[in-house]
Amino acid sequence: MTPAPSSPAPPPAKGSGLTLVMLALVLALQLAMVFQRAINEDEFFHYSQVHRLVAGALAEPLQTLYTRAFAWVTVLPGDGIDHIVVIRLFMLGCEAVTLACLFGVATRFASRQAAWLAVLSYAGGGYVFQHAASFRFDSPAAALLMLAALALLRARLNWSAIAAIGLLLGTATVLTIKAVLYAPVFAGIAWLRWTEAGRSSAMLVRLGAIALAAAAAFALVYALHASTLGAAADGEARAVVSRAGSKMFGLGLPPYWQHHLKGMAIAPLVTLLALCFPMVLRGDVRPAAEKAALAGLFLPLATLLFYHNTAPYYFVFMLAPVCAALAIVLDRALPRYGAARIALLLGGLALALWAVEDRAIIQRQRALVNAGERLLPQHPAYFDGFAMLGAMPKANVFMTPWGTEQYLKGQESSLSDTLAARPVPLVLENKDAFTAALRSRQPVGDFLPQDLALLRRVYVNLWGPLWLAGFDVPAGDSMTITVEVPGPYTLHAAQPVTVDGIARAPGTVFELTRGPHTIAPRTAPLRLLWGDRIKAPATPPPAPPYLLPY
């Protein structure tokens, strides 16, 4: 049995029932958001990775393990939006696991009432409330790591427990390499267990065995996952680690600092608790080893200062152990403010966030996805910002700030090189950079100059944000066009036109190879559009925006 906390337990606080009611409310609101909240760009991209796995095109073994769990979703009825909603339900289940583990960890150091409030502060805490059910690996990783932390903290460390903890840690690290950011959590708990065991060599051996089991589990899970991804998998993994090592850590102004400020503002109670934690811990009378464990739980918060990828969804991963540590602050607050008042504040803040959600955006997204999949059932390659048409092969980099930086440095393929190697007939204008490129003549810093010129030269508008390879040819003398996207083209004209010496009737579909083609003199303008009689939908396109701002 684990010894009770050394600090005197506060008297039982009233309001336990209300705390659970508020927690149930928060979870119910999150369940509603599974179906109502706009799909974010990371969710679209993660879903596209599942399709890449199914198609045999996935080559990156690190940070793609989640694709194994969801390959079956791609054959379900419905569109990509429906499929992501199904996956969100699994993510919500992962959050439930994390909440249970958070409660188990928190009750090791604080009262049950404070632990329940810590759970509520996590679930209803701003970005976690909004993103816990999002389709990313943050929720599964948090669940695996918190389950491992709970087992390390409270389980009898027999050999089966050691193997289970190692498997959880190894799997989480293949799922996302940022699992290493939980190192202080496990170091603090390990120190506590070793200290409570009288710093015995037997306990030290068991703790060392957990580290070895984690390494072995990582190697095994990685090998099993990578074995079906092709010969390039190991090289891709090394590239991921190399890029992460060179970019993902650094000091200075964090790239997402504005999101951090917003996160503090929409979760003010969590922010206040975090600010109070160092003072409360310093003044606590518990043993030094317990303080070390609590500090370790709290330290992932410091990653906001040096870890690059701390966008709002990161808080789902990072805040779980932090909120467990904040239970000791809540224990101090309970006698003065009462559980009911704190619970009402936490639940009310979550309700306010839910109330201001824009629930119309997901319907606009559905209209775009349905239009793309209906017009192009052969699923050609396309350029866009974040793989919105997940069943089709995205042909350019995922345009996050980091991805765009890698592309501009030449570490990702240019659009020009990609188009020279394969036909890419479609552009989906779902990012401001594409709008500026396609609808203005101004410089656009997110594209290389040759790629910006390519977008403006090769594609014509079909419907709203959908652009197809093609040519708008004015009336006039004979002229030469240069085809950069070979394939079938449909002639849209009021009268027959001679192309490469062959008369073509309006509506005719014919092949155009890569390179120059001659169009004879004509008295009326015409359009040559890639594809077999592709027609724009009769309904008007949905107006932007197509994403919720973070």
Side-chain angles (χ1 to χ4, degrees), residues 55-102:
L58 187 66
E60 301 87 357
L62 286 177
Q63 312 212 119
T64 61
L65 183 63
Y66 65 89
T67 59
R68 300 284 180 184
F70 303 115
W72 58 275
V73 175
T74 62
V75 300
L76 293 179
D79 55 34
I81 305 290
D82 298 318
H83 295 171
I84 292 173
V85 166
V86 170
I87 297 171
R88 282 177 165 184
L89 293 172
F90 175 85
M91 297 296 153
L92 200 60
C94 290
E95 185 197 18
V97 173
T98 300
L99 296 178
C101 295
L102 195 163

Short mmCIF file of all heavy atoms in Angstrom, two decimals, residues 55-102:
data_model
loop_
_atom_site.label_atom_id
_atom_site.label_comp_id
_atom_site.label_asym_id
_atom_site.label_seq_id
_atom_site.Cartn_x
_atom_site.Cartn_y
_atom_site.Cartn_z
N ALA A 55 -3.18 3.16 -48.54
CA ALA A 55 -2.74 3.12 -49.93
C ALA A 55 -1.32 2.60 -50.10
O ALA A 55 -0.84 2.45 -51.23
CB ALA A 55 -2.84 4.53 -50.53
N GLY A 56 -0.63 2.32 -48.99
CA GLY A 56 0.74 1.85 -49.07
C GLY A 56 1.75 2.94 -49.37
O GLY A 56 2.87 2.65 -49.78
N ALA A 57 1.36 4.21 -49.15
CA ALA A 57 2.23 5.34 -49.47
C ALA A 57 2.90 5.94 -48.24
O ALA A 57 3.73 6.84 -48.38
CB ALA A 57 1.43 6.42 -50.19
N LEU A 58 2.55 5.47 -47.05
CA LEU A 58 3.12 6.04 -45.83
C LEU A 58 4.53 5.49 -45.63
O LEU A 58 4.74 4.28 -45.67
CB LEU A 58 2.24 5.69 -44.63
CG LEU A 58 2.61 6.34 -43.30
CD1 LEU A 58 2.41 7.86 -43.36
CD2 LEU A 58 1.79 5.76 -42.16
N ALA A 59 5.50 6.39 -45.39
CA ALA A 59 6.89 5.97 -45.22
C ALA A 59 7.49 6.41 -43.90
O ALA A 59 8.61 6.03 -43.58
CB ALA A 59 7.74 6.49 -46.38
N GLU A 60 6.77 7.22 -43.13
CA GLU A 60 7.32 7.77 -41.88
C GLU A 60 6.89 6.92 -40.70
O GLU A 60 5.70 6.92 -40.35
CB GLU A 60 6.85 9.22 -41.68
CG GLU A 60 7.22 10.18 -42.80
CD GLU A 60 6.21 10.20 -43.93
OE1 GLU A 60 5.23 9.41 -43.86
OE2 GLU A 60 6.39 10.97 -44.87
N PRO A 61 7.80 6.19 -40.05
CA PRO A 61 7.39 5.31 -38.95
C PRO A 61 7.19 6.03 -37.62
O PRO A 61 6.44 5.54 -36.77
CB PRO A 61 8.55 4.32 -38.85
CG PRO A 61 9.74 5.06 -39.37
CD PRO A 61 9.22 6.01 -40.41
N LEU A 62 7.87 7.15 -37.42
CA LEU A 62 7.69 7.90 -36.18
C LEU A 62 6.50 8.84 -36.31
O LEU A 62 6.29 9.48 -37.33
CB LEU A 62 8.95 8.70 -35.84
CG LEU A 62 10.15 7.89 -35.32
CD1 LEU A 62 11.34 8.81 -35.10
CD2 LEU A 62 9.81 7.14 -34.04
N GLN A 63 5.73 8.91 -35.23
CA GLN A 63 4.59 9.82 -35.13
C GLN A 63 3.46 9.47 -36.09
O GLN A 63 2.61 10.32 -36.38
CB GLN A 63 5.04 11.28 -35.30
CG GLN A 63 6.25 11.65 -34.46
CD GLN A 63 6.27 13.07 -33.99
OE1 GLN A 63 6.28 13.34 -32.81
NE2 GLN A 63 6.29 14.01 -34.90
N THR A 64 3.43 8.24 -36.57
CA THR A 64 2.33 7.79 -37.42
C THR A 64 1.70 6.50 -36.92
O THR A 64 0.88 5.89 -37.61
CB THR A 64 2.80 7.57 -38.87
OG1 THR A 64 3.81 6.56 -38.90
CG2 THR A 64 3.33 8.86 -39.48
N LEU A 65 2.07 6.05 -35.73
CA LEU A 65 1.54 4.79 -35.21
C LEU A 65 0.02 4.83 -35.12
O LEU A 65 -0.65 3.80 -35.28
CB LEU A 65 2.16 4.50 -33.84
CG LEU A 65 1.77 3.17 -33.18
CD1 LEU A 65 2.24 1.99 -34.03
CD2 LEU A 65 2.36 3.07 -31.77
N TYR A 66 -0.53 6.00 -34.84
CA TYR A 66 -1.99 6.13 -34.70
C TYR A 66 -2.73 5.68 -35.95
O TYR A 66 -3.90 5.28 -35.89
CB TYR A 66 -2.36 7.59 -34.39
CG TYR A 66 -2.04 8.54 -35.51
CD1 TYR A 66 -2.98 8.80 -36.51
CD2 TYR A 66 -0.80 9.16 -35.61
CE1 TYR A 66 -2.69 9.64 -37.56
CE2 TYR A 66 -0.50 10.01 -36.65
CZ TYR A 66 -1.45 10.24 -37.62
OH TYR A 66 -1.15 11.08 -38.67
N THR A 67 -2.08 5.75 -37.11
CA THR A 67 -2.76 5.36 -38.35
C THR A 67 -3.20 3.90 -38.32
O THR A 67 -4.19 3.53 -38.95
CB THR A 67 -1.86 5.59 -39.57
OG1 THR A 67 -0.65 4.82 -39.43
CG2 THR A 67 -1.49 7.07 -39.70
N ARG A 68 -2.47 3.06 -37.60
CA ARG A 68 -2.82 1.64 -37.51
C ARG A 68 -4.19 1.45 -36.87
O ARG A 68 -4.93 0.53 -37.23
CB ARG A 68 -1.78 0.89 -36.67
CG ARG A 68 -0.36 0.94 -37.20
CD ARG A 68 -0.21 0.01 -38.37
NE ARG A 68 1.14 0.04 -38.91
CZ ARG A 68 1.51 -0.62 -39.98
NH1 ARG A 68 0.64 -1.37 -40.64
NH2 ARG A 68 2.75 -0.53 -40.42
N ALA A 69 -4.51 2.31 -35.93
CA ALA A 69 -5.76 2.14 -35.18
C ALA A 69 -6.98 2.53 -35.99
O ALA A 69 -8.10 2.12 -35.64
CB ALA A 69 -5.71 2.97 -33.89
N PHE A 70 -6.79 3.28 -37.08
CA PHE A 70 -7.95 3.87 -37.75
C PHE A 70 -8.06 3.53 -39.23
O PHE A 70 -8.87 4.12 -39.94
CB PHE A 70 -7.94 5.39 -37.58
CG PHE A 70 -7.92 5.82 -36.14
CD1 PHE A 70 -6.85 6.50 -35.61
CD2 PHE A 70 -8.98 5.50 -35.30
CE1 PHE A 70 -6.82 6.88 -34.29
CE2 PHE A 70 -8.97 5.87 -33.96
CZ PHE A 70 -7.88 6.56 -33.46
N ALA A 71 -7.30 2.56 -39.69
CA ALA A 71 -7.39 2.18 -41.10
C ALA A 71 -8.81 1.73 -41.46
O ALA A 71 -9.30 2.00 -42.57
CB ALA A 71 -6.39 1.07 -41.42
N TRP A 72 -9.49 1.10 -40.52
CA TRP A 72 -10.85 0.60 -40.77
C TRP A 72 -11.85 1.72 -41.02
O TRP A 72 -12.88 1.52 -41.67
CB TRP A 72 -11.32 -0.24 -39.58
CG TRP A 72 -11.31 0.52 -38.29
CD1 TRP A 72 -10.26 0.69 -37.44
CD2 TRP A 72 -12.41 1.23 -37.69
NE1 TRP A 72 -10.63 1.46 -36.36
CE2 TRP A 72 -11.94 1.80 -36.49
CE3 TRP A 72 -13.74 1.42 -38.07
CZ2 TRP A 72 -12.75 2.55 -35.65
CZ3 TRP A 72 -14.56 2.18 -37.24
CH2 TRP A 72 -14.06 2.73 -36.05
N VAL A 73 -11.55 2.92 -40.52
CA VAL A 73 -12.48 4.04 -40.65
C VAL A 73 -12.65 4.43 -42.11
O VAL A 73 -13.73 4.89 -42.52
CB VAL A 73 -12.00 5.24 -39.81
CG1 VAL A 73 -12.88 6.46 -40.03
CG2 VAL A 73 -11.98 4.87 -38.33
N THR A 74 -11.62 4.24 -42.92
CA THR A 74 -11.66 4.72 -44.31
C THR A 74 -12.69 3.98 -45.16
O THR A 74 -13.06 4.47 -46.24
CB THR A 74 -10.28 4.58 -44.97
OG1 THR A 74 -9.90 3.20 -45.00
CG2 THR A 74 -9.24 5.38 -44.21
N VAL A 75 -13.15 2.81 -44.72
CA VAL A 75 -14.14 2.06 -45.51
C VAL A 75 -15.56 2.27 -45.00
O VAL A 75 -16.50 1.69 -45.54
CB VAL A 75 -13.80 0.55 -45.53
CG1 VAL A 75 -12.44 0.32 -46.14
CG2 VAL A 75 -13.88 -0.06 -44.14
N LEU A 76 -15.73 3.09 -43.98
CA LEU A 76 -17.07 3.37 -43.47
C LEU A 76 -17.85 4.23 -44.46
O LEU A 76 -17.25 4.98 -45.25
CB LEU A 76 -16.99 4.07 -42.12
CG LEU A 76 -16.42 3.28 -40.94
CD1 LEU A 76 -16.39 4.16 -39.70
CD2 LEU A 76 -17.23 2.02 -40.68
N PRO A 77 -19.17 4.18 -44.41
CA PRO A 77 -19.96 5.12 -45.24
C PRO A 77 -19.70 6.56 -44.81
O PRO A 77 -19.25 6.83 -43.69
CB PRO A 77 -21.41 4.71 -44.94
CG PRO A 77 -21.33 3.35 -44.34
CD PRO A 77 -20.02 3.26 -43.65
N GLY A 78 -20.00 7.48 -45.71
CA GLY A 78 -19.84 8.88 -45.39
C GLY A 78 -18.58 9.47 -45.98
O GLY A 78 -17.79 8.79 -46.64
N ASP A 79 -18.38 10.76 -45.72
CA ASP A 79 -17.22 11.47 -46.25
C ASP A 79 -16.12 11.58 -45.20
O ASP A 79 -16.24 11.03 -44.10
CB ASP A 79 -17.64 12.85 -46.77
CG ASP A 79 -18.36 13.67 -45.70
OD1 ASP A 79 -18.01 13.54 -44.50
OD2 ASP A 79 -19.26 14.46 -46.03
N GLY A 80 -15.06 12.30 -45.55
CA GLY A 80 -13.95 12.47 -44.62
C GLY A 80 -14.34 13.14 -43.32
O GLY A 80 -13.79 12.82 -42.26
N ILE A 81 -15.27 14.07 -43.37
CA ILE A 81 -15.74 14.73 -42.15
C ILE A 81 -16.38 13.70 -41.22
O ILE A 81 -16.11 13.67 -40.01
CB ILE A 81 -16.74 15.85 -42.48
CG1 ILE A 81 -16.15 16.85 -43.47
CG2 ILE A 81 -17.22 16.53 -41.21
CD1 ILE A 81 -15.06 17.70 -42.93
N ASP A 82 -17.25 12.85 -41.78
CA ASP A 82 -17.89 11.80 -40.97
C ASP A 82 -16.85 10.89 -40.33
O ASP A 82 -16.98 10.50 -39.17
CB ASP A 82 -18.83 10.97 -41.85
CG ASP A 82 -19.97 11.79 -42.43
OD1 ASP A 82 -20.53 12.62 -41.70
OD2 ASP A 82 -20.30 11.59 -43.61
N HIS A 83 -15.83 10.54 -41.08
CA HIS A 83 -14.81 9.63 -40.56
C HIS A 83 -14.03 10.27 -39.42
O HIS A 83 -13.73 9.61 -38.42
CB HIS A 83 -13.86 9.24 -41.69
CG HIS A 83 -14.51 8.44 -42.77
ND1 HIS A 83 -13.89 8.14 -43.96
CD2 HIS A 83 -15.75 7.87 -42.86
CE1 HIS A 83 -14.72 7.43 -44.72
NE2 HIS A 83 -15.85 7.26 -44.07
N ILE A 84 -13.70 11.55 -39.57
CA ILE A 84 -12.97 12.23 -38.49
C ILE A 84 -13.84 12.32 -37.23
O ILE A 84 -13.35 12.18 -36.11
CB ILE A 84 -12.52 13.63 -38.96
CG1 ILE A 84 -11.45 13.48 -40.05
CG2 ILE A 84 -11.97 14.44 -37.79
CD1 ILE A 84 -11.04 14.78 -40.71
N VAL A 85 -15.13 12.53 -37.40
CA VAL A 85 -16.04 12.56 -36.25
C VAL A 85 -16.02 11.22 -35.51
O VAL A 85 -15.99 11.18 -34.27
CB VAL A 85 -17.47 12.93 -36.70
CG1 VAL A 85 -18.48 12.64 -35.60
CG2 VAL A 85 -17.54 14.40 -37.10
N VAL A 86 -16.02 10.13 -36.26
CA VAL A 86 -15.93 8.80 -35.63
C VAL A 86 -14.63 8.69 -34.82
O VAL A 86 -14.63 8.22 -33.67
CB VAL A 86 -16.00 7.69 -36.69
CG1 VAL A 86 -15.67 6.33 -36.08
CG2 VAL A 86 -17.39 7.65 -37.33
N ILE A 87 -13.54 9.13 -35.38
CA ILE A 87 -12.25 9.05 -34.68
C ILE A 87 -12.26 9.96 -33.45
O ILE A 87 -11.65 9.63 -32.42
CB ILE A 87 -11.11 9.42 -35.64
CG1 ILE A 87 -11.03 8.39 -36.78
CG2 ILE A 87 -9.77 9.48 -34.91
CD1 ILE A 87 -10.09 8.78 -37.90
N ARG A 88 -12.93 11.09 -33.53
CA ARG A 88 -13.02 11.98 -32.37
C ARG A 88 -13.65 11.27 -31.16
O ARG A 88 -13.28 11.57 -30.01
CB ARG A 88 -13.84 13.22 -32.72
CG ARG A 88 -13.11 14.27 -33.52
CD ARG A 88 -14.03 15.42 -33.87
NE ARG A 88 -13.32 16.61 -34.34
CZ ARG A 88 -13.90 17.76 -34.63
NH1 ARG A 88 -15.22 17.90 -34.49
NH2 ARG A 88 -13.19 18.80 -35.04
N LEU A 89 -14.58 10.39 -31.40
CA LEU A 89 -15.18 9.66 -30.28
C LEU A 89 -14.13 8.82 -29.56
O LEU A 89 -14.14 8.72 -28.33
CB LEU A 89 -16.31 8.77 -30.79
CG LEU A 89 -17.54 9.51 -31.35
CD1 LEU A 89 -18.50 8.54 -32.00
CD2 LEU A 89 -18.24 10.28 -30.23
N PHE A 90 -13.21 8.23 -30.32
CA PHE A 90 -12.10 7.49 -29.69
C PHE A 90 -11.22 8.44 -28.89
O PHE A 90 -10.77 8.11 -27.78
CB PHE A 90 -11.28 6.79 -30.78
CG PHE A 90 -10.05 6.10 -30.25
CD1 PHE A 90 -10.12 4.81 -29.74
CD2 PHE A 90 -8.82 6.74 -30.26
CE1 PHE A 90 -8.99 4.18 -29.24
CE2 PHE A 90 -7.68 6.11 -29.77
CZ PHE A 90 -7.77 4.83 -29.26
N MET A 91 -10.95 9.63 -29.43
CA MET A 91 -10.13 10.60 -28.72
C MET A 91 -10.79 11.02 -27.41
O MET A 91 -10.11 11.23 -26.40
CB MET A 91 -9.89 11.83 -29.61
CG MET A 91 -9.13 11.54 -30.87
SD MET A 91 -7.45 10.96 -30.53
CE MET A 91 -7.13 9.98 -31.99
N LEU A 92 -12.11 11.15 -27.42
CA LEU A 92 -12.82 11.48 -26.20
C LEU A 92 -12.65 10.36 -25.18
O LEU A 92 -12.53 10.62 -23.97
CB LEU A 92 -14.29 11.72 -26.51
CG LEU A 92 -15.10 12.52 -25.48
CD1 LEU A 92 -14.51 13.91 -25.28
CD2 LEU A 92 -16.55 12.62 -25.90
N GLY A 93 -12.64 9.11 -25.65
CA GLY A 93 -12.36 7.99 -24.75
C GLY A 93 -10.98 8.06 -24.17
O GLY A 93 -10.76 7.74 -22.99
N CYS A 94 -10.00 8.49 -24.97
CA CYS A 94 -8.64 8.66 -24.45
C CYS A 94 -8.61 9.73 -23.37
O CYS A 94 -7.90 9.59 -22.36
CB CYS A 94 -7.70 9.05 -25.59
SG CYS A 94 -7.36 7.73 -26.76
N GLU A 95 -9.38 10.80 -23.56
CA GLU A 95 -9.44 11.82 -22.51
C GLU A 95 -10.01 11.23 -21.23
O GLU A 95 -9.53 11.55 -20.12
CB GLU A 95 -10.29 13.00 -22.97
CG GLU A 95 -10.26 14.13 -21.94
CD GLU A 95 -11.38 15.15 -22.10
OE1 GLU A 95 -12.38 14.85 -22.78
OE2 GLU A 95 -11.27 16.25 -21.53
N ALA A 96 -11.01 10.37 -21.33
CA ALA A 96 -11.59 9.76 -20.13
C ALA A 96 -10.53 8.96 -19.38
O ALA A 96 -10.47 8.98 -18.13
CB ALA A 96 -12.78 8.88 -20.52
N VAL A 97 -9.69 8.23 -20.10
CA VAL A 97 -8.59 7.49 -19.47
C VAL A 97 -7.65 8.46 -18.77
O VAL A 97 -7.23 8.23 -17.61
CB VAL A 97 -7.84 6.65 -20.51
CG1 VAL A 97 -6.59 6.01 -19.89
CG2 VAL A 97 -8.75 5.56 -21.09
N THR A 98 -7.31 9.54 -19.45
CA THR A 98 -6.42 10.54 -18.85
C THR A 98 -7.02 11.12 -17.58
O THR A 98 -6.31 11.30 -16.56
CB THR A 98 -6.13 11.66 -19.86
OG1 THR A 98 -5.51 11.10 -21.02
CG2 THR A 98 -5.22 12.72 -19.27
N LEU A 99 -8.31 11.41 -17.59
CA LEU A 99 -8.97 11.97 -16.41
C LEU A 99 -8.93 11.00 -15.24
O LEU A 99 -8.68 11.41 -14.09
CB LEU A 99 -10.41 12.34 -16.75
CG LEU A 99 -10.63 13.43 -17.79
CD1 LEU A 99 -12.12 13.63 -18.05
CD2 LEU A 99 -9.98 14.73 -17.38
N ALA A 100 -9.17 9.73 -15.52
CA ALA A 100 -9.12 8.73 -14.44
C ALA A 100 -7.72 8.64 -13.85
O ALA A 100 -7.55 8.55 -12.62
CB ALA A 100 -9.57 7.37 -14.98
N CYS A 101 -6.71 8.66 -14.72
CA CYS A 101 -5.33 8.59 -14.24
C CYS A 101 -4.93 9.85 -13.48
O CYS A 101 -4.22 9.78 -12.47
CB CYS A 101 -4.38 8.34 -15.40
SG CYS A 101 -4.61 6.76 -16.22
N LEU A 102 -5.39 11.00 -13.99
CA LEU A 102 -5.12 12.26 -13.29
C LEU A 102 -5.68 12.21 -11.88
O LEU A 102 -4.99 12.61 -10.92
CB LEU A 102 -5.74 13.40 -14.10
CG LEU A 102 -5.33 14.84 -13.80
CD1 LEU A 102 -5.73 15.75 -14.97
CD2 LEU A 102 -5.94 15.39 -12.52
#
